[in-house]
């Protein structure tokens, strides 16, 4: 769920050190993909002849043509190696945003090596946690809420045919943090830094001196987000900006989150430049020395630091990608096992509405949650399965409610309107809700005239007890918090539109996270399972935009693997 996010770390020159850290991610709940699987077509006689020629020369071949015949059903056992079975170039397990974008990236950028790609999904719909609901004049999200319009994200949007449906928030919309009973704006540009009242003068000076390197040196061990920020930028930056930001992005505990894993770009600034400012200048210099290819002229040009969605909500993206992939996307297919054949290909067995089906593929990409991947991969590698089982996904609830406009406190209005992206709540401020997004202010046509729509997140690593609460109790908790901050205490009860509880919402990038990912990948490689790739938000990052960027990265890895084995 994209959070009350700020800007992109790709715009380092325009941001202060504090902004660089705060404006790095936009996801309350990530769009994790779910557990799924596909149908594989039979090759034609000419394709079989080509494959036989490849096998005889001990080289695996990538087939350019797409076959059209469905695979045979089995009685519960995989097809025998090579007999009457179809081989595709890649099976992507998981039809959430990561899996769909990997398939689209392969189709648009790497079709020569991966012409035949299948996406499989255990649910009866695509999109993973992306959930848009439209009813009674309201349009709301119950998973991710928005994304940062980076160039990779915009490329995916354009390639999906959604350029004309893209909507962008006001880049000048303020973001607020609750502190001492008042909503205080977060600085949106460097010129705001001297004037914003979220921090004291002493806190600002401490942050500035620390950013240029006047702070304790790195401790020599992997730091938590809290340790890194307190050491580099001081207590006020941590308590009033970064702690609520971690709650908003990861629904996490910054004393346990790894700085290197969760905010790697900022962590690397100090590593590369000796300080955050030094690393920023060095990054700018290196970027200026490197010639960039011209920007794709098809891409829109967002103004300022903004966030994006679509005319009918985020669900338009997975649905558009699925429509373009067509019969390459297979729903209600549950993966039961994977094995590697003597030919070097993988055999995947699925439970489907039509029975048990076996599929063969040169490569497999697992974009399902790590705990599901752990179970599937255990027969292949106990070490990989053990590593994947250790990631923690805390629960988060998305509570969408509506009030009449007159319910907003006068002091929270700007020019008579509720304006802004939303608000974040530090855990020290006596409210349970993690944060609130002003959905009807952020994007058009999200609520009927005279009404406001608020998307609230509650739960996370510091409050897993939400799982024991009823939907009514969650609405009451959110309403109680809002009446302390944003809503008039005597306002009428809100209209509760939707409550979605995600029992395992966001993978936590805890200390040691990257070591676990590396251990899982190494275990698969060391036991002979090259061509089996791990993807999804626990690998790429939890923001929707990072899932898309990670999809392009995984697609490039698959392409490289297949290109080395293509039959010339």
């Amino acid at each position: 769920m994209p959070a009350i996010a700020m800007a992109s770390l790709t715009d380092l020159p325009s941001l202060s050190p504090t902004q660089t850290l705060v404006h790095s991610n936009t996801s309350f709940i990530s769009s994790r993909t779910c557990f799924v699987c596909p149908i594989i077509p039979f090759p034609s006689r000419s394709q079989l002849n080509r494959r036989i020629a490849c096998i005889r020369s001990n080289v695996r071949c990538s087939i350019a043509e797409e076959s059209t015949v469905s695979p045979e059903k089995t009685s519960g056992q995989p097809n025998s190696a090579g007999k009457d079975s179809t081989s595709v170039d890649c099976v992507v397990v998981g039809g959430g945003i990561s899996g769909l974008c990997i398939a689209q990236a392969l189709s648009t950028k790497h079709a020569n090596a991966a012409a035949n790609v299948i996406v499989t999904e255990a649910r009866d719909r695509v999109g993973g946690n992306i959930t848009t609901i439209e009813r009674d004049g309201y349009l709301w999200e119950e998973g991710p809420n928005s994304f940062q319009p980076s160039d990779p994200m915009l490329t995916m949007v354009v390639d999906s045919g959604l350029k004309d449906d893209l909507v962008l928030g006001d880049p000048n919309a303020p973001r607020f943090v609750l502190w001492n009973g008042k909503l205080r704006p977060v600085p949106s540009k460097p010129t705001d830094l001297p004037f914003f009242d979220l921090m004291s003068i002493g806190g600002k000076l401490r942050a500035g001196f620390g950013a240029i390197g006047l702070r304790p040196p790195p401790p020599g061990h992997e730091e938590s987000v809290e340790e890194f920020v307190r050491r580099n930028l001081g207590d006020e930056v941590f308590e009033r900006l970064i702690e609520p930001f971690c709650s908003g992005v990861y629904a996490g505990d910054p004393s346990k989150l790894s700085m290197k894993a969760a905010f790697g770009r900022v962590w690397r600034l100090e590593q590369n430049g000796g300080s955050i400012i030094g690393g920023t200048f060095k990054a700018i210099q290196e970027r200026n020395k490197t010639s960039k290819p011209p920007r794709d002229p098809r891409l829109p040009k967002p103004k300022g630091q903004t966030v994006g969605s679509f005319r009918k909500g985020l669900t338009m993206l997975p649905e558009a990608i699925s429509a373009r992939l067509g019969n390459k996307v297979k729903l209600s297919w549950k993966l039961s096992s994977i094995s590697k054949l003597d030919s070097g290909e993988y055999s995947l067995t699925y439970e489907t509405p039509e029975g048990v089906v076996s599929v063969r593929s040169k490569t497999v990409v697992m974009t399902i949650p790590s705990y599901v991947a752990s179970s599937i991969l255990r027969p292949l590698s106990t070490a990989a399965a053990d590593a994947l089982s250790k990631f923690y996904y805390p629960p988060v609830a998305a509570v969408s409610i509506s009030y009449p406009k007159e319910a907003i406190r006068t002091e929270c209005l700007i020019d008579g309107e509720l304006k802004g992206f939303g608000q974040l709540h530090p855990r020290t401020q006596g409210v349970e809700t993690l944060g609130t997004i002003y959905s009807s202010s952020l994007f058009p046509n999200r609520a009927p005239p005279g009404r406001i729509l608020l998307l609230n997140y509650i739960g996370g690593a510091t409050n897993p007890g939400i799982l024991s609460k009823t939907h009514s109790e969650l609405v009451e908790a959110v309403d109680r918090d809002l009446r302390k901050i944003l809503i008039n205490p005597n306002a009428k009860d809100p209209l509760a539109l939707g409550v979605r509880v995600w029992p395992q919402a966001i993978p936590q990038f805890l200390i040691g996270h990257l070591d676990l990912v590396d251990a899982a990948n190494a275990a698969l490689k060391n036991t002979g399972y090259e061509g089996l790739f791990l993807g999804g938000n626990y690998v790429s990052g939890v923001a929707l935009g990072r899932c898309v960027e990670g999809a392009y990265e995984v697609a490039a890895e698959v392409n490289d693997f297949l290109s080395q084995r293509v039959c010339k």
Side-chain angles (χ1 to χ4, degrees):
M1 303 174 182
I4 313 250
M6 317 287 176
S8 170
L9 287 178
T10 57
D11 283 332
L12 292 176
S14 64
L15 299 178
S16 70
T18 302
Q19 289 174 301
T20 298
L21 185 55
V22 175
H23 297 31
S24 63
N25 203 323
T26 59
S27 184
F28 258 113
I29 278 190
S30 70
S31 180
R32 70 171 170 84
T33 52
C34 273
F35 183 90
V36 296
C37 305
I39 285 181
I40 305 299
F42 272 101
S44 65
R45 180 177 298 276
S46 63
Q47 291 169 345
L48 282 171
N49 289 337
R50 290 174 58 199
R51 179 158 304 134
I52 291 170
C54 286
I55 293 173
R56 286 174 177 168
S57 61
N58 293 320
V59 180
R60 286 193 288 162
C61 178
S62 174
I63 297 177
E65 299 87 1
E66 178 185 352
S67 35
T68 57
V69 183
S70 299
E72 67 178 6
K73 295 181 183 179
T74 71
S75 59
Q77 298 296 324
N79 293 341
S80 59
K83 183 180 180 180
D84 293 330
S85 62
T86 298
S87 174
V88 295
D89 296 314
C90 183
V91 170
V92 180
V93 183
I97 199 64
S98 292
L100 291 170
C101 289
I102 288 169
Q104 173 140 305
L106 288 171
S107 299
T108 57
K109 292 184 173 295
H110 308 295
N112 289 337
N116 198 350
V117 179
I118 299 292
V119 180
T120 67
E121 171 57 55
R123 296 182 185 180
D124 61 359
R125 67 175 184 87
V126 295
N129 283 358
I130 293 179
T131 307
T132 307
I133 308 293
E134 184 173 14
R135 188 171 65 232
D136 299 331
Y138 291 95
L139 181 74
W140 71 91
E141 305 284 357
E142 295 190 338
N145 176 77
S146 60
F147 55 82
Q148 288 182 342
S150 64
D151 279 3
M153 186 75 210
L154 293 175
T155 300
M156 189 62 63
V157 169
V158 171
D159 286 346
S160 302
L162 293 178
K163 182 177 181 179
D164 293 339
D165 292 292
L166 178 68
V167 293
L168 298 174
D170 179 1
N172 298 314
R175 284 83 161 160
F176 300 96
V177 168
L178 174 66
W179 193 258
N180 288 339
K182 179 182 177 181
L183 291 175
R184 302 172 191 271
V186 173
S188 59
K189 54 186 181 296
T191 53
D192 293 341
L193 292 174
F195 307 106
F196 77 106
D197 67 351
L198 181 57
M199 290 172 56
S200 68
I201 294 176
K204 296 173 187 177
L205 291 174
R206 168 64 179 88
F209 286 133
I212 63 175
L214 299 177
R215 74 327 178 216
H221 62 260
E222 184 174 359
E223 287 183 284
S224 69
V225 171
E226 179 175 0
E227 289 174 318
F228 180 95
V229 175
R230 287 190 188 274
R231 180 174 61 81
N232 275 280
L233 301 173
D235 294 341
E236 287 193 18
V237 170
F238 172 74
E239 293 164 359
R240 307 183 189 191
L241 283 170
I242 305 308
E243 187 273 326
F245 182 68
C246 286
S247 295
V249 174
Y250 284 93
D253 181 347
S255 69
K256 298 178 181 178
L257 289 173
S258 164
M259 186 68 195
K260 180 180 179 180
F263 302 101
R265 291 176 181 175
V266 180
W267 178 84
R268 285 190 291 273
L269 292 178
E270 183 185 28
Q271 296 294 307
N272 296 337
S275 68
I276 294 177
I277 287 291
T280 301
F281 282 127
K282 188 173 182 179
I284 295 170
Q285 291 171 348
E286 291 176 353
R287 185 168 60 187
N288 291 338
K289 292 178 183 178
T290 305
S291 59
K292 283 186 176 181
R295 188 172 188 265
D296 188 339
R298 303 177 304 154
L299 303 186
K301 296 180 179 179
K303 297 179 180 179
Q305 302 296 344
T306 185
V307 294
S309 182
F310 301 101
R311 180 177 50 84
K312 289 294 185 180
L314 290 181
T315 193
M316 291 189 74
L317 181 59
E319 289 179 355
I321 296 174
S322 179
R324 287 187 171 244
L325 293 172
N327 63 6
K328 295 180 179 181
V329 178
K330 307 302 176 184
L331 302 180
S332 300
W333 283 61
K334 183 178 179 180
L335 179 62
S336 57
S337 68
I338 299 178
S339 62
K340 194 168 186 180
L341 305 174
D342 292 340
S343 66
E345 294 179 314
Y346 290 90
S347 176
L348 299 90
T349 302
Y350 304 97
E351 298 172 9
T352 80
E354 292 77 28
V356 176
V357 173
S358 181
V359 173
R360 293 177 60 176
S361 181
K362 297 180 178 67
T363 59
V364 178
V365 182
M366 305 284 282
T367 68
I368 52 184
S370 62
Y371 50 89
V372 181
S374 173
S375 176
I376 292 294
L377 295 177
R378 186 163 295 280
L380 304 186
S381 170
T382 300
D386 286 346
L388 292 173
S389 70
K390 294 178 181 178
F391 297 118
Y392 172 48
Y393 291 69
V396 176
V399 180
S400 298
I401 56 179
S402 174
Y403 297 90
K405 285 187 175 181
E406 56 268 21
I408 303 297
R409 294 187 179 200
T410 303
E411 63 268 25
C412 296
L413 299 175
I414 300 175
D415 298 328
E417 299 287 339
L418 178 66
K419 295 183 179 180
F421 189 102
Q423 59 195 51
L424 286 173
H425 310 145
R427 300 297 81 211
T428 59
Q429 297 304 294
V431 294
E432 188 176 2
T433 310
L434 296 170
T436 299
I437 292 175
Y438 306 162
S439 298
S440 52
S441 300
L442 186 59
F443 299 122
N445 304 316
R446 298 296 166 110
R451 306 287 300 188
I452 62 166
L453 174 62
L454 303 177
L455 173 55
N456 309 271
Y457 297 103
I458 186 170
T462 60
N463 184 20
I466 64 160
L467 288 177
S468 64
K469 293 188 176 183
T470 66
H471 286 190
S472 295
E473 289 172 335
L474 291 172
V475 171
E476 290 171 3
V478 168
D479 179 58
R480 182 169 57 249
D481 285 345
L482 289 175
R483 290 174 190 271
K484 299 175 183 177
I485 311 164
L486 185 69
I487 302 298
N488 287 313
N490 59 352
K492 294 182 179 179
D493 290 342
L495 172 63
L497 295 166
V499 178
R500 175 62 67 93
V501 178
W502 302 95
Q504 293 174 290
I506 307 174
Q508 299 296 286
F509 282 43
L510 305 179
I511 291 174
H513 180 92
L514 296 180
D515 293 336
L516 289 174
V517 174
D518 289 344
N521 282 315
L524 291 172
K525 183 177 181 180
N526 293 339
T527 48
Y529 295 106
E530 297 91 350
L532 199 164
F533 300 89
L534 302 177
N537 61 2
Y538 71 93
V539 177
S540 64
V542 301
L544 194 153
R546 269 303 301 153
C547 289
V548 173
E549 292 170 14
Y552 282 112
E553 294 163 5
V554 172
E557 293 180 34
V558 173
N559 173 72
D560 291 343
F561 180 87
L562 289 171
S563 296
Q564 296 172 8
R565 293 157 175 79
V566 168
C567 180
K568 302 299 183 181

